[in-house]
Amino acid sequence: MKFAKIPMATINRLSIYMRTLQEMLEEDVEVISSERLAKQCGVNPAQIRKDLAYFGEFGVRGVGYRVNDLVVQIKDILGLNRPWNLAMIGVGNLGSALLRHGNFTKHGYIFTAAFDVDPKKVGKRLPNGITVNHVDELEEKIKEKEVLIGLITTPAGEAQGIANQLVLAGINGILNFAPVQIQVPDCCHVENVDFTIKLDSIAYHLSVGS
Amino acid sequence: MKFAKIPMATINRLSIYMRTLQEMLEEDVEVISSERLAKQCGVNPAQIRKDLAYFGEFGVRGVGYRVNDLVVQIKDILGLNRPWNLAMIGVGNLGSALLRHGNFTKHGYIFTAAFDVDPKKVGKRLPNGITVNHVDELEEKIKEKEVLIGLITTPAGEAQGIANQLVLAGINGILNFAPVQIQVPDCCHVENVDFTIKLDSIAYHLSVGS
DNA sequence: TGTTTGATGTGAATTATCTCACATGTTTGT
DNA sequence: ACAAACATGTGAGATAATTCACATCAAACA
């Protein structure tokens, strides 16, 4: 292990390794080689070893990696050894589907607040027990509920304004589902999810025929 | 322009450029420089010019790019100058939210089929006019409705099986929302959407404090 | 205890991607 | 018609990421 700048791609792959390893745990696999994990994840074995080498030595030479240990180590690396409170801003089709989506909870992400501007939605109690607040209460509730990451599922036009409010409320992680590029100060980390961009990529590949 | 292998990253950026340009069109911007577009998209100006240079010369020196023309050109490059029929497999929370999500239609992607195994859902008519079919009819309906890309929103356990069926039905583009790595032959192009991986990335950045 | 087998960890080579810097071509203004 | 201003297109250089190849260590077994 050495001290170096970690490639962004490495971080994303660590998540993928972790998920694959967790599946394997459920199938009672105790030890795994980089070769087998690589095949499962669709990457090069050396890639996995390099990725892990940024953070330490987690394997046993001649043997492989203990699956359970490696999951714990990766969680440590990513900061997932504790819960992360989320807020959903925008309780429309997508927002409410995500609020009900079990996959977040499974990985330690907990919705503790939800916001909308629609009077018909404000005050409604959601299946997970939280109540929809008006966006006017954003800052107050975000601090009260100790939210650390905001998910934006508003229409495109509202997204930037919401992002500004989130930053003012002290949030510095945003997952943006709105189809616009939002601008934030450096202290805030934004990740975008745009399904149609992925579709464009598929369309391209089908068009050029590879 | 020269003949070269196109970086995957370039293709993804082209989508982003296109969306930004489309926004600008709505604000009646007619001509734009790589510098301004770059700032809006959060990339380097030279990057944009290089990306476009893979495919031709679309700008006017000393002037910039005609917004409308460039949108058309990028659509041509990506193969978006025609509609793409989609099928949704899995009409749960996420699936039905996406089926109602206007953003697909806006970019020329049209759902022409939807599938589920739940008898309560099969036969139901969706807001966009299509009827939910049973997964048993997958191959037949996919051919009938001329579907080219499949979206998987089933539970993780079912995803691989569905992917296999899609490939058998002649599909070679899949957008996978299930949180598993699915394996397909080379003829098929898979893109994965996993929100929790993006969250992991945010969590990492907040943890290490950058 | 020595040897063989197996899989990690990592420096070096390779490949891919991004950025710079400037020549090139357009337009505007005098 | 000429010069100044401007922004593209691109070769060359810099940077980053991936893969190779092998030294290194652990376990199994004779």
Side-chain angles (χ1 to χ4, degrees), chain B residues 104-123:
Chain B
F104 291 101
T105 320
K106 186 176 168 190
H107 289 96
Y109 297 103
I110 304 157
F111 286 107
T112 58
F115 302 90
D116 209 299
V117 287
D118 184 347
K120 284 200 288 281
K121 286 173 189 156
V122 174

Side-chain angles (χ1 to χ4, degrees), chain B residues 34 49-50 59 61-62 65:
Chain B
S34 61
R49 300 199 296 273
K50 253 286 139 75
R61 296 180 189 210
Y65 302 89

Side-chain angles (χ1 to χ4, degrees), chain A residues 62-79:
Chain A
V63 180
Y65 301 89
R66 295 200 57 79
V67 178
N68 192 49
D69 291 1
L70 192 50
V71 169
V72 171
Q73 305 276 19
I74 294 180
K75 281 193 169 186
D76 265 7
I77 292 167
L78 296 176

